[in-house]
Amino acid sequence: MPVETDADRAAFVADFGEPVVWTRAGIPQPAFLAIFDRPTVAVEFEAGTAGTFTRVASLSCPEASLPVGAAEDDPVGVAGGSFRCAAIRPDGTGWCAVDLKR
């Protein structure tokens, strides 16, 4: 059972969220708020050798905010960038993480 309510989740994204436009079947859906994150991650190919950095983009939002039928490879616009959905990972409490790809 989740500790927070739908109102709690809505308040959280209202404070920290960015507008997201999700496109389904070529039709942009109404914008919703989600927390956009794009941390820098170090990728090391072999211990002791040179590696590289990558920026992995993701969204965190109430699961109910996602458009009906949201699926992998749907176009997603957020923070001036264009992405595609890589995966939708609900956590079972009403919140979900959405992995994005270029």
Side-chain angles (χ1 to χ4, degrees):
M1 178 170 100
V3 175
E4 67 276 333
T5 65
D6 289 342
D8 294 332
R9 287 187 282 276
F12 193 67
V13 293
D15 287 344
F16 302 106
E18 299 213 25
V20 176
V21 177
W22 195 290
T23 301
R24 292 279 308 129
I27 301 168
Q29 303 299 302
F32 62 92
L33 292 175
I35 298 166
F36 177 65
D37 194 21
R38 196 169 173 194
T40 300
V41 178
V43 179
E44 191 174 287
F45 299 107
E46 192 175 311
T49 65
T52 187
F53 292 99
T54 186
R55 303 222 31 217
V56 180
S58 66
L59 300 174
S60 298
C61 64
E63 192 175 354
S65 296
L66 296 178
V68 173
E72 186 177 332
D73 286 325
D74 285 348
V76 178
V78 60
S82 297
F83 301 91
R84 289 199 170 270
C85 174
I88 300 170
R89 298 180 290 118
D91 72 357
T93 69
W95 197 259
C96 71
V98 178
D99 299 325
L100 301 174
K101 61 186 177 182
R102 286 281 180 173

